């Protein structure tokens, strides 16, 4: 049985090569990626049709945050990176190269657990502690967008307190608190799937979004019930919100802080991440 660390005192990379393919959430197109270790700190990306051009993912490259997080790499965009980045950061993994055949990261089952299982299959090896993986912070921050708020307070550990409030009875108000570690990320956060709403489906399709969304890779809420139960956790939606937050912080380093977020979004997460980079 694979044993994940109980803290982030060490950082790891993968010991073998990982290949996965699947459908992109928004494009609906088939996409394939290969993941290998890299000799530099961080997360690096190339495209299969130009493998020698390698980009280092950076917070300054974040473009669209509408229902996913995308990065602009040269003249291309790479969409829906947050679940894969969340799996790396949540598991304490850096020094990574990703080769992409497509324009979006495969959604797989809509969570991060299949990436985690892939890491377990190839194994991990310890690397020198990256300077940016765990970020020390020395002052509080707060950002808001309308009625959504995210705040950060320096601490000796990373604690996330997240709340959502939806006018759908199946979800309602949910709160989840976690002192983050690789072990707890794998057990409590990584299996949580993305979710959407049946009454918004056609509108999003008309906007050119969620073309690859289906009942195998996303939870669908229909008012007071779920279209495709059972849930993996009674509060799976709030856990997925934390999964997204971790992915959106991955490019600046996980802060040693207490983070509180109410009605979080990729755009709100990006505000906090950009402030940590600066």
């Amino acid at each position: 049985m694979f044993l994940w660390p109980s803290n982030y005192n060490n950082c790891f990379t993968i010991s073998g090569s990982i290949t996965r393919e699947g459908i992109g959430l928004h494009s609906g197109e088939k996409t394939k990626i290969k993941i290998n270790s890299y000799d530099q700190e961080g997360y690096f990306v190339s495209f299969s049709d130009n493998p020698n051009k390698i980009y280092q993912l950076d917070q300054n490259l974040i473009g669209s945050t509408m229902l996913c997080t995308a990065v602009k790499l040269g003249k291309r965009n790479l969409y829906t990176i947050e679940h894969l980045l969340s799996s790396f950061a949540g598991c304490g993994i850096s020094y990574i190269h990703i080769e992409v055949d497509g324009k979006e990261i495969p959604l797989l089952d809509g969570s991060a657990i299949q990436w985690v299982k892939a890491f377990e299959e190839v194994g991990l090896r310890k690397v020198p502690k990256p300077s940016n993986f765990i970020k020390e912070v020395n002052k509080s921050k707060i950002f808001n967008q309308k009625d959504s708020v995210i705040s950060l307070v320096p601490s000796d550990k990373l604690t996330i307190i997240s709340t959502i409030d939806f006018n759908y009875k199946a979800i309602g108000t949910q709160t989840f608190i976690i002192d983050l570690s690789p072990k707890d990320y794998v057990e409590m956060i990584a299996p949580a799937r993305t979710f959407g709403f049946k009454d918004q489906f056609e509108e999003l399709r008309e906007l050119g979004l969620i073309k690859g969304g289906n009942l195998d890779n996303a939870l669908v809420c229909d008012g007071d019930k779920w279209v495709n139960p059972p849930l993996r956790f009674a509060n799976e939606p709030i856990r997925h919100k934390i999964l997204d937050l971790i992915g959106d912080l991955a490019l600046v380093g996980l802060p040693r802080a207490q983070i509180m977020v109410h009605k979080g979004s990729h755009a709100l997460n990006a505000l906090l991440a950009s402030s940590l980079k600066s």
Side-chain angles (χ1 to χ4, degrees):
M1 180 179 177
F2 196 97
L3 296 177
W4 287 94
S6 59
N7 56 55
Y8 293 106
N9 290 345
N10 295 298
C11 186
F12 301 87
T13 189
I14 56 175
S15 293
S17 183
I18 295 168
T19 301
R20 292 291 185 274
E21 59 183 57
I23 299 299
L25 171 60
H26 294 299
S27 67
E29 298 175 4
K30 189 174 181 180
T31 182
K32 179 179 179 180
I33 70 169
K34 296 178 182 178
I35 309 172
N36 286 286
S37 62
Y38 199 64
D39 59 2
Q40 295 181 47
E41 176 187 347
Y43 308 110
F44 296 80
V45 172
S46 62
F47 293 93
S48 58
D49 59 358
N50 189 12
N52 294 324
K53 178 62 176 176
I54 298 177
Y55 303 89
Q56 181 172 9
L57 296 185
D58 184 275
Q59 189 65 26
N60 292 338
L61 300 177
I62 297 293
S64 170
T65 53
M66 185 175 181
L67 297 182
C68 76
T69 299
V71 286
K72 187 169 183 60
L73 305 176
K75 296 182 178 180
R76 312 190 201 202
N77 289 313
L78 178 61
Y79 296 92
T80 321
I81 64 172
E82 62 272 15
H83 297 173
L84 179 57
L85 288 181
S86 179
S87 68
F88 289 142
C91 292
I93 294 172
S94 185
Y95 292 77
I96 288 293
H97 174 249
I98 308 158
E99 183 179 278
V100 183
D101 183 1
K103 59 185 179 183
E104 196 170 3
I105 299 298
L107 183 61
L108 302 183
D109 73 344
S111 76
I113 196 62
Q114 291 191 21
W115 300 119
V116 170
K117 290 178 178 179
F119 304 154
E120 293 177 347
E121 287 173 10
V122 300
L124 305 180
R125 60 180 174 85
K126 191 184 299 185
V127 297
K129 185 71 177 289
S131 59
N132 293 320
F133 190 76
I134 296 296
K135 194 172 190 70
E136 302 295 339
V137 294
N138 54 23
K139 64 178 181 178
S140 300
K141 301 174 182 287
I142 186 167
F143 301 93
N144 75 288
Q145 290 182 330
K146 297 182 179 179
D147 61 345
S148 300
V149 180
I150 191 166
S151 66
L152 173 149
V153 178
S155 177
D156 59 354
K157 59 185 177 181
L158 173 52
T159 301
I160 299 174
I161 305 167
S162 187
T163 301
I164 53 175
D165 183 14
F166 285 97
N167 291 324
Y168 297 87
K169 189 175 179 181
I171 301 177
T173 301
Q174 298 181 7
T175 299
F176 195 72
I177 303 172
I178 184 169
D179 291 333
L180 198 65
S181 69
K183 179 178 183 295
D184 287 342
Y185 174 85
V186 168
E187 295 176 358
M188 300 182 187
I189 302 300
R193 293 162 291 175
T194 191
F195 61 97
F197 307 97
K198 185 179 179 181
D199 61 355
Q200 298 176 6
F201 186 83
E202 288 305 323
E203 178 184 352
L204 293 173
R205 279 288 177 93
E206 289 174 3
L207 291 172
L209 300 170
I210 66 167
K211 293 178 180 178
N214 60 56
L215 299 181
D216 293 323
N217 58 30
L219 287 169
V220 179
C221 178
D222 185 13
D224 61 354
K225 65 182 184 298
W226 293 97
V227 174
N228 52 338
L231 274 65
R232 293 174 179 173
F233 308 98
N235 58 355
E236 192 167 349
I238 187 60
R239 295 180 190 234
H240 186 80
K241 285 288 190 178
I242 293 175
L243 185 156
D244 281 344
L245 171 62
I246 295 165
D248 289 338
L249 293 175
L251 299 185
V252 297
L254 297 180
R256 207 179 297 277
Q258 182 184 90
I259 300 173
M260 300 181 66
V261 56
H262 176 63
K263 296 185 177 181
S265 67
H266 292 300
L268 194 65
N269 298 344
L271 286 177
L272 178 61
S274 294
S275 76
L276 290 172
K277 179 177 175 59
S278 62

